[in-house]
Amino acid sequence: MNILMIEDDRELCSAVSFRLEQEGFSVTLCHDGEEGLYYMQETPYDLVILDRMLPHMNGIKVLKEARSRQIKTPVIILTALGELNDRLTGLNCGADDYMVKPFAFEELLARIRCLLRRPAAYNPAADAVSLGDVTFIPETRRLSSGKKDCTLSSREGDLMEVFLRNPGQTLPRQLLLTRVWGLDSDVEEGNLDNYIHFLRRRLKTVESSLQIKTVRGVGYQLEVFQ
């Protein structure tokens, strides 16, 4: 599981990332808001831990920009600003949880696991997603290209949206399993391979030029041909 921590307190970053890595998470650290927003946009993290008081761009602005760009990654704000209005501002701007410093690591870990257990955090947005010659409507799970179209199953639709929102990126198998089936699911990896096969057939059905490429030993990548 990949976590991005955007925090300018380097000692805190080091301590929290060390504990999280002991729990089996992979942690990326950055120390200013602009860099953090870039990371959120370029990499499909499973969760973001975000400070409010950051150099270059404060955490609230980072969060607003991320949500305006349709970045749906769950976000926990971790900050010293703990007044009621501070909490309401963070939550109303799109945070999924809000914690005040100082904090117990065990509580942070419990909140992280709680968010990652919620498949709803990864539910498709209602807006249509277009890429290359394909348009996908998550609400109806309708996939179309030119005059051809078809309807995907719920699981196919969730998987298709993950690919369409991360074109050209190599998506690890575990990330795909977590995004589509949920953190605590006991689904076998072979099920993912089956659904990749189904999506490839769907793309052929609508005569799309998009292709899902196998990246051996890592996962899959959606290729877009101009």
Tab-separated table of all heavy atoms in Angstrom, residues 144-169:
chain	number	residue	atom	x	y	z
A	144	SER	N	-17.925	3.460	-24.765
A	144	SER	CA	-18.206	3.714	-26.169
A	144	SER	C	-16.973	4.214	-26.899
A	144	SER	O	-16.085	4.829	-26.316
A	144	SER	CB	-19.341	4.740	-26.322
A	144	SER	OG	-18.979	5.977	-25.746
A	145	SER	N	-16.942	3.919	-28.200
A	145	SER	CA	-15.885	4.395	-29.073
A	145	SER	C	-16.480	4.500	-30.472
A	145	SER	O	-16.903	3.486	-31.051
A	145	SER	CB	-14.682	3.440	-29.073
A	145	SER	OG	-13.693	3.877	-29.983
A	146	GLY	N	-16.534	5.719	-31.011
A	146	GLY	CA	-17.196	5.900	-32.303
A	146	GLY	C	-18.659	5.549	-32.198
A	146	GLY	O	-19.367	6.016	-31.312
A	147	LYS	N	-19.139	4.655	-33.052
A	147	LYS	CA	-20.534	4.244	-33.041
A	147	LYS	C	-20.758	2.957	-32.249
A	147	LYS	O	-21.889	2.464	-32.170
A	147	LYS	CB	-21.039	4.071	-34.473
A	147	LYS	CG	-21.042	5.369	-35.288
A	147	LYS	CD	-21.610	5.137	-36.677
A	147	LYS	CE	-21.643	6.434	-37.476
A	147	LYS	NZ	-22.186	6.246	-38.852
A	148	LYS	N	-19.707	2.395	-31.691
A	148	LYS	CA	-19.802	1.149	-30.937
A	148	LYS	C	-19.889	1.439	-29.444
A	148	LYS	O	-19.236	2.364	-28.941
A	148	LYS	CB	-18.580	0.268	-31.201
A	148	LYS	CG	-18.348	-0.079	-32.670
A	148	LYS	CD	-19.303	-1.168	-33.127
A	148	LYS	CE	-18.958	-1.621	-34.541
A	148	LYS	NZ	-19.831	-2.724	-34.997
A	149	ASP	N	-20.671	0.646	-28.724
A	149	ASP	CA	-20.725	0.796	-27.275
A	149	ASP	C	-21.130	-0.517	-26.626
A	149	ASP	O	-21.645	-1.423	-27.282
A	149	ASP	CB	-21.677	1.920	-26.865
A	149	ASP	CG	-23.105	1.661	-27.273
A	149	ASP	OD1	-23.761	0.803	-26.656
A	149	ASP	OD2	-23.564	2.308	-28.241
A	150	CYS	N	-20.875	-0.622	-25.342
A	150	CYS	CA	-21.270	-1.807	-24.571
A	150	CYS	C	-21.356	-1.414	-23.101
A	150	CYS	O	-20.858	-0.364	-22.688
A	150	CYS	CB	-20.283	-2.958	-24.772
A	150	CYS	SG	-18.608	-2.633	-24.165
A	151	THR	N	-22.006	-2.258	-22.305
A	151	THR	CA	-22.148	-2.016	-20.869
A	151	THR	C	-21.252	-2.977	-20.102
A	151	THR	O	-21.245	-4.178	-20.357
A	151	THR	CB	-23.607	-2.214	-20.428
A	151	THR	OG1	-24.443	-1.309	-21.157
A	151	THR	CG2	-23.757	-1.940	-18.936
A	152	LEU	N	-20.500	-2.439	-19.167
A	152	LEU	CA	-19.585	-3.241	-18.364
A	152	LEU	C	-20.256	-3.685	-17.065
A	152	LEU	O	-21.200	-3.056	-16.596
A	152	LEU	CB	-18.317	-2.440	-18.030
A	152	LEU	CG	-17.216	-2.362	-19.087
A	152	LEU	CD1	-17.717	-1.805	-20.401
A	152	LEU	CD2	-16.037	-1.529	-18.578
A	153	SER	N	-19.752	-4.758	-16.496
A	153	SER	CA	-20.197	-5.163	-15.169
A	153	SER	C	-19.660	-4.160	-14.151
A	153	SER	O	-18.794	-3.333	-14.455
A	153	SER	CB	-19.688	-6.567	-14.835
A	153	SER	OG	-18.282	-6.541	-14.634
A	154	SER	N	-20.153	-4.229	-12.926
A	154	SER	CA	-19.719	-3.301	-11.882
A	154	SER	C	-18.214	-3.387	-11.660
A	154	SER	O	-17.520	-2.365	-11.593
A	154	SER	CB	-20.465	-3.602	-10.581
A	154	SER	OG	-20.009	-2.760	-9.542
A	155	ARG	N	-17.692	-4.605	-11.548
A	155	ARG	CA	-16.259	-4.782	-11.310
A	155	ARG	C	-15.448	-4.340	-12.525
A	155	ARG	O	-14.402	-3.694	-12.387
A	155	ARG	CB	-15.970	-6.249	-10.998
A	155	ARG	CG	-14.644	-6.482	-10.301
A	155	ARG	CD	-14.708	-6.152	-8.825
A	155	ARG	NE	-15.456	-7.141	-8.093
A	155	ARG	CZ	-15.760	-7.057	-6.803
A	155	ARG	NH1	-15.388	-5.990	-6.136
A	155	ARG	NH2	-16.445	-7.998	-6.190
A	156	GLU	N	-15.913	-4.669	-13.719
A	156	GLU	CA	-15.226	-4.221	-14.928
A	156	GLU	C	-15.187	-2.698	-14.994
A	156	GLU	O	-14.170	-2.104	-15.367
A	156	GLU	CB	-15.933	-4.761	-16.172
A	156	GLU	CG	-15.793	-6.240	-16.405
A	156	GLU	CD	-16.674	-6.727	-17.541
A	156	GLU	OE1	-17.633	-6.001	-17.920
A	156	GLU	OE2	-16.423	-7.838	-18.052
A	157	GLY	N	-16.304	-2.068	-14.631
A	157	GLY	CA	-16.370	-0.616	-14.681
A	157	GLY	C	-15.396	0.043	-13.721
A	157	GLY	O	-14.720	1.015	-14.064
A	158	ASP	N	-15.318	-0.489	-12.486
A	158	ASP	CA	-14.377	0.076	-11.512
A	158	ASP	C	-12.938	-0.046	-12.011
A	158	ASP	O	-12.135	0.882	-11.888
A	158	ASP	CB	-14.513	-0.645	-10.173
A	158	ASP	CG	-15.830	-0.331	-9.478
A	158	ASP	OD1	-16.565	0.550	-9.972
A	158	ASP	OD2	-16.118	-0.971	-8.448
A	159	LEU	N	-12.623	-1.208	-12.572
A	159	LEU	CA	-11.273	-1.442	-13.062
A	159	LEU	C	-10.966	-0.559	-14.275
A	159	LEU	O	-9.875	0.024	-14.378
A	159	LEU	CB	-11.109	-2.921	-13.419
A	159	LEU	CG	-9.705	-3.418	-13.765
A	159	LEU	CD1	-8.726	-3.133	-12.629
A	159	LEU	CD2	-9.745	-4.914	-14.075
A	160	MET	N	-11.932	-0.431	-15.167
A	160	MET	CA	-11.734	0.400	-16.351
A	160	MET	C	-11.468	1.850	-15.958
A	160	MET	O	-10.600	2.521	-16.534
A	160	MET	CB	-12.956	0.317	-17.262
A	160	MET	CG	-12.871	1.198	-18.511
A	160	MET	SD	-11.500	0.750	-19.601
A	160	MET	CE	-12.206	-0.721	-20.396
A	161	GLU	N	-12.190	2.355	-14.965
A	161	GLU	CA	-11.997	3.748	-14.579
A	161	GLU	C	-10.611	3.984	-13.987
A	161	GLU	O	-9.988	5.019	-14.226
A	161	GLU	CB	-13.066	4.221	-13.599
A	161	GLU	CG	-12.942	5.717	-13.356
A	161	GLU	CD	-13.996	6.270	-12.426
A	161	GLU	OE1	-14.722	5.480	-11.805
A	161	GLU	OE2	-14.079	7.505	-12.323
A	162	VAL	N	-10.111	3.030	-13.212
A	162	VAL	CA	-8.769	3.175	-12.665
A	162	VAL	C	-7.750	3.327	-13.804
A	162	VAL	O	-6.870	4.191	-13.769
A	162	VAL	CB	-8.393	1.971	-11.775
A	162	VAL	CG1	-6.931	2.082	-11.335
A	162	VAL	CG2	-9.286	1.903	-10.555
A	163	PHE	N	-7.894	2.496	-14.846
A	163	PHE	CA	-6.975	2.592	-15.983
A	163	PHE	C	-7.124	3.916	-16.722
A	163	PHE	O	-6.135	4.570	-17.067
A	163	PHE	CB	-7.213	1.434	-16.956
A	163	PHE	CG	-6.553	0.147	-16.548
A	163	PHE	CD1	-7.315	-0.970	-16.251
A	163	PHE	CD2	-5.175	0.044	-16.468
A	163	PHE	CE1	-6.705	-2.163	-15.875
A	163	PHE	CE2	-4.562	-1.137	-16.089
A	163	PHE	CZ	-5.333	-2.252	-15.789
A	164	LEU	N	-8.369	4.322	-16.968
A	164	LEU	CA	-8.599	5.542	-17.745
A	164	LEU	C	-8.115	6.789	-17.021
A	164	LEU	O	-7.722	7.765	-17.659
A	164	LEU	CB	-10.088	5.673	-18.079
A	164	LEU	CG	-10.648	4.659	-19.070
A	164	LEU	CD1	-12.157	4.820	-19.200
A	164	LEU	CD2	-9.980	4.800	-20.440
A	165	ARG	N	-8.144	6.767	-15.699
A	165	ARG	CA	-7.694	7.935	-14.937
A	165	ARG	C	-6.183	7.924	-14.703
A	165	ARG	O	-5.630	8.885	-14.153
A	165	ARG	CB	-8.437	8.018	-13.603
A	165	ARG	CG	-9.919	8.338	-13.756
A	165	ARG	CD	-10.562	8.744	-12.451
A	165	ARG	NE	-11.986	8.997	-12.615
A	165	ARG	CZ	-12.522	10.123	-13.079
A	165	ARG	NH1	-11.718	11.120	-13.443
A	165	ARG	NH2	-13.823	10.262	-13.182
A	166	ASN	N	-5.512	6.860	-15.105
A	166	ASN	CA	-4.062	6.766	-14.934
A	166	ASN	C	-3.402	6.260	-16.212
A	166	ASN	O	-2.670	5.267	-16.196
A	166	ASN	CB	-3.721	5.837	-13.759
A	166	ASN	CG	-4.276	6.339	-12.441
A	166	ASN	OD1	-3.705	7.207	-11.805
A	166	ASN	ND2	-5.419	5.793	-12.042
A	167	PRO	N	-3.647	6.918	-17.350
A	167	PRO	CA	-3.123	6.428	-18.624
A	167	PRO	C	-1.603	6.444	-18.669
A	167	PRO	O	-0.960	7.366	-18.174
A	167	PRO	CB	-3.700	7.422	-19.642
A	167	PRO	CG	-3.918	8.674	-18.860
A	167	PRO	CD	-4.343	8.211	-17.496
A	168	GLY	N	-1.048	5.387	-19.247
A	168	GLY	CA	0.394	5.315	-19.432
A	168	GLY	C	1.170	4.960	-18.187
A	168	GLY	O	2.389	4.753	-18.249
A	169	GLN	N	0.506	4.859	-17.040
A	169	GLN	CA	1.205	4.522	-15.804
A	169	GLN	C	1.148	3.022	-15.556
A	169	GLN	O	0.119	2.385	-15.793
A	169	GLN	CB	0.580	5.246	-14.608
A	169	GLN	CG	0.699	6.758	-14.684
A	169	GLN	CD	0.252	7.401	-13.388
A	169	GLN	OE1	0.563	6.933	-12.303
A	169	GLN	NE2	-0.498	8.492	-13.491
